Amino acid sequence: MSTQKSSVRPYLPWKDGLPKSAQFGILKKLNGTWVNWKGGPTGLHTTPMPSPGTSSETIFGVFHFKSQEYTEQLKFTQVNAPVRNRAGSNEQFNGAVKYETAIIDNDQALQHFENGMYLWLGDNEQPWKDSSPYQNPPTMFKHPSDAESVKVDDAAPVLGPGELGPQFVPPHTISRSGVIPHGTTIHLTGNVTASNVPGAPPIAKLWDPDSLAISPTMGINVPQDLIPGSREKPAWTQLPREKQAGGGLNSGRAYFQRIFNYDQFGAKFPYTVQPNLKLVDANSRPGVTVKKHDIFHLDSQHPTGVQGATVNNVMIERYCRVVRMRFTMWLEEVEENGKMYDQLQYQQIVDFEFMFGSDGGTTQWPHIQVNTLRRLQDIAEADRLPPIQIPTESSADPSGGPEPVVYQMVHSEKRKGEDAEQSASKKTKCSGSK
C-alpha cells in the first residue's frame, strides 16, 4: 500500500543558535512612539457603567453612560531577541513588541494607562514555502529526536532517535497580551487581513451593527431607529422618554435615547452612536490622502479552535464583567499637504456584562475606543502636544556604576552539568560603547 503524501511540508530542522534574529512581520512597522497632534483628530471612547445605587442582583436596566474625546501617547518597543517555545517536535520563535499607552481627556486629566506585549507568532501558510516573506528568518522549525536527546531525557524504550510528530501550523500570526489596571488581563489572537492595499481602508459602513455603541441586547433596531444612509439625528430622539414608541418608558428608545443626545467632553452624535466614524472622517479631511494600508484584526473569541481570554478580578467579574475584546489596527501611509506620514488607526470594542435585561436575559454593553495617531518623529515640533507623564513613585535606585549591558538570547541544546537550558548568554555593550 502507498501512503498519501501530506501537503504539510516539514519545517527546516532546528540547529543550535537558530534563528539568528527575530521575525516581526507587520509588527515591525510599530516600533516607536505614536501620538495625537495639535489641530489633528482626537480619540474618543464610549463607556457604559453600572449606575450609582444599582446592583447586579436586584436592578435591571439602569446604566450610566459617558463619552469623551482624548489624546494618547502609545509607545512600541521592538525586542530584538527571538523567544523560544519548545513543543517537542516543533520549535516556535516569537518576535516580541512591548507596548505602553497613556491617555488624557480634554481637561488634561489622566484617563487610562496600560501595558502589554504583541507577539509575532510566525507564518501560518501551508504548504511551507522557501519564498515566504515571513520565513526569512524562519520562525518555525522541526525538531526530531536524536541519540543525545533519547539518552539525556530517558526516552527509551518509548522513543528512539529520528522520531518526529505532526508539524504545528500556527492558526494565528499575532497575539496581544495586556494588563488593564481596572483588574482585567486580556489575551487576543488574530491575523493580518490586508497588506499594502492601495487607498484608504474600508473602516465601516454607516450604521454597521457591529460598530455601534448600542448592542442588540439593549433593544436597538437599526433600520427603524437610525436613518439609513444619513447621519441626521432621528426625530424620535427629541421626544420625551414617556412618549417613545414601543412602550414609552419601557421602550428600547427610551432606554438608549441619551446616547443619541449625549453632548459632553467633546463627544456627541453621530460619534457617540458609531465611534469609528471619527476614523472615517480623519481620513476624509481636506488635504489628506491615504496612499495604502495594512490591517490586522484580533479577538479574544473565535468561532472554533483555541480561544483568547479576558480574565477579571473578583469585583469586575461580579459587577461589570469583561467578556470579550475585539481589536482592529489600520497602518497607513498618508499624504497631507504634500508631506508623507505613517498613520496608525485603531478600534477597540470591549463587551461588558452587568445586571440583566427586563426579559431575564443578559445585556451586553459595548465599551469602544478609537483613535488616529502619527509617529512623534514625523510631527513638527510646533505641532506636538506635551508628553504624557504617568504619576509614579520615584525609586531609590543608585545612579552611576557599571555601564548597562545588552544580553542576547542564545538558543542551544548544549548542557552545562545537569542544566538543560541555555549554556550561556552573549553580551554586548549598549550603543555608544566600543
Side-chain angles (χ1 to χ4, degrees):
M1 291 180 63
S2 61
T3 303
Q4 182 178 353
K5 188 176 180 180
S6 173
S7 63
V8 180
R9 177 184 172 191
Y11 298 111
L12 295 173
W14 180 81
K15 297 178 181 179
D16 273 8
L18 291 179
K20 299 296 184 183
S21 59
Q23 172 71 257
F24 296 96
I26 196 174
L27 302 181
K28 195 170 184 66
K29 296 185 177 184
L30 297 180
N31 192 57
T33 301
W34 302 74
V35 294
N36 296 102
W37 65 99
K38 293 178 182 178
T42 58
L44 182 131
H45 77 84
T46 60
T47 308
M49 297 170 268
S51 180
T54 64
S55 69
S56 60
E57 294 87 357
T58 59
I59 300 174
F60 64 82
V62 182
F63 68 97
H64 179 67
F65 179 79
K66 188 173 186 178
S67 184
Q68 293 172 290
E69 289 186 323
Y70 64 81
T71 55
E72 182 173 7
Q73 180 176 286
L74 176 58
K75 182 178 181 180
F76 296 95
T77 303
Q78 180 176 300
V79 182
N80 293 324
V83 181
R84 183 180 182 183
N85 287 339
R86 305 182 188 220
S89 293
N90 297 272
E91 299 276 355
Q92 180 184 50
F93 291 85
N94 297 336
V97 179
K98 300 190 295 182
Y99 78 88
E100 54 184 336
T101 187
I103 290 173
I104 61 172
D105 64 21
N106 287 348
D107 295 325
Q108 312 301 301
L110 182 65
Q111 288 295 311
H112 182 70
F113 58 93
E114 176 186 332
N115 63 11
M117 193 171 294
Y118 286 84
L119 298 180
W120 181 257
L121 304 175
D123 194 356
N124 64 352
E125 181 182 4
Q126 283 290 345
W128 181 75
K129 299 177 181 177
D130 299 277
S131 60
S132 170
Y134 296 143
Q135 282 287 353
N136 186 22
T139 59
M140 295 293 303
F141 296 86
K142 66 178 179 180
H143 196 166
S145 60
D146 57 24
E148 178 70 9
S149 69
V150 170
K151 177 181 177 181
V152 172
D153 297 337
D154 294 330
V158 178
L159 201 68
E163 300 287 349
L164 182 69
Q167 296 293 274
F168 172 70
V169 181
H172 307 292
T173 56
I174 300 171
S175 73
R176 171 188 165 195
S177 298
V179 180
I180 291 87
H182 295 289
T184 298
T185 300
I186 60 165
H187 183 70
L188 317 179
T189 53
N191 293 296
V192 177
T193 56
S195 183
N196 292 318
V197 177
I203 289 174
K205 295 181 179 180
L206 183 63
W207 310 139
D208 167 35
D210 291 332
S211 300
L212 302 185
I214 307 165
S215 78
T217 64
M218 296 168 70
I220 192 167
N221 184 316
V222 173
Q224 295 180 13
D225 296 332
L226 291 152
I227 302 173
S230 172
R231 291 195 186 187
E232 181 182 354
K233 188 188 290 187
W236 64 261
T237 60
Q238 304 308 311
L239 295 174
R241 294 176 64 231
E242 61 271 15
K243 293 186 178 181
Q244 293 295 343
L249 293 175
N250 293 320
S251 66
R253 288 180 176 180
Y255 191 48
F256 52 72
Q257 179 180 13
R258 76 191 109 129
I259 297 177
F260 280 74
N261 291 333
Y262 190 92
D263 188 359
Q264 297 183 62
F265 311 111
K268 60 183 180 180
F269 184 88
Y271 306 122
T272 55
V273 174
Q274 186 173 336
N276 63 21
L277 293 177
K278 279 188 71 75
L279 305 182
V280 175
D281 291 351
N283 290 341
S284 303
R285 291 177 300 127
V288 174
T289 303
V290 180
K291 295 295 188 178
K292 62 180 181 178
H293 66 272
D294 306 295
I295 308 172
F296 66 83
H297 179 74
L298 310 177
D299 203 328
S300 65
Q301 295 181 5
H302 299 282
T304 61
V306 177
Q307 303 296 303
T310 56
V311 182
N312 306 302
N313 68 15
V314 176
M315 182 175 180
I316 297 299
E317 181 70 17
R318 180 173 296 176
Y319 294 108
C320 190
R321 185 167 59 253
V322 176
V323 296
R324 184 183 183 186
M325 179 183 286
R326 289 163 282 167
F327 180 81
T328 302
M329 182 180 288
W330 297 267
L331 293 168
E332 302 150 347
E333 290 186 15
V334 175
E335 182 179 7
E336 183 170 6
N337 299 324
K339 184 177 179 181
M340 296 301 298
Y341 297 90
D342 289 337
Q343 183 169 279
L344 183 159
Q345 295 185 298
Y346 70 79
Q347 172 179 257
Q348 181 167 280
I349 303 177
V350 181
D351 290 332
F352 296 160
E353 289 181 359
F354 55 91
M355 302 181 292
F356 48 88
S358 58
D359 63 353
T362 300
T363 302
Q364 203 160 77
W365 318 74
H367 163 43
I368 302 178
Q369 290 175 268
V370 298
N371 206 354
T372 299
L373 306 169
R374 290 184 180 172
R375 289 190 184 277
L376 176 62
Q377 67 188 45
D378 293 341
I379 299 170
E381 191 170 343
D383 294 329
R384 295 177 185 173
L385 297 168
I388 300 174
Q389 181 69 47
I390 295 174
T392 57
E393 187 71 16
S394 60
S395 68
D397 295 338
S399 58
E403 196 172 334
V405 173
V406 175
Y407 291 87
Q408 300 288 355
M409 285 187 172
V410 178
H411 300 292
S412 174
E413 290 300 285
K414 295 177 182 178
R415 290 165 170 85
K416 209 173 190 180
E418 294 184 357
D419 183 4
E421 295 301 317
Q422 297 167 172
S423 61
S425 292
K426 290 182 180 178
K427 56 185 181 180
T428 58
K429 294 288 185 180
C430 283
S431 58
S433 61
K434 298 291 186 179

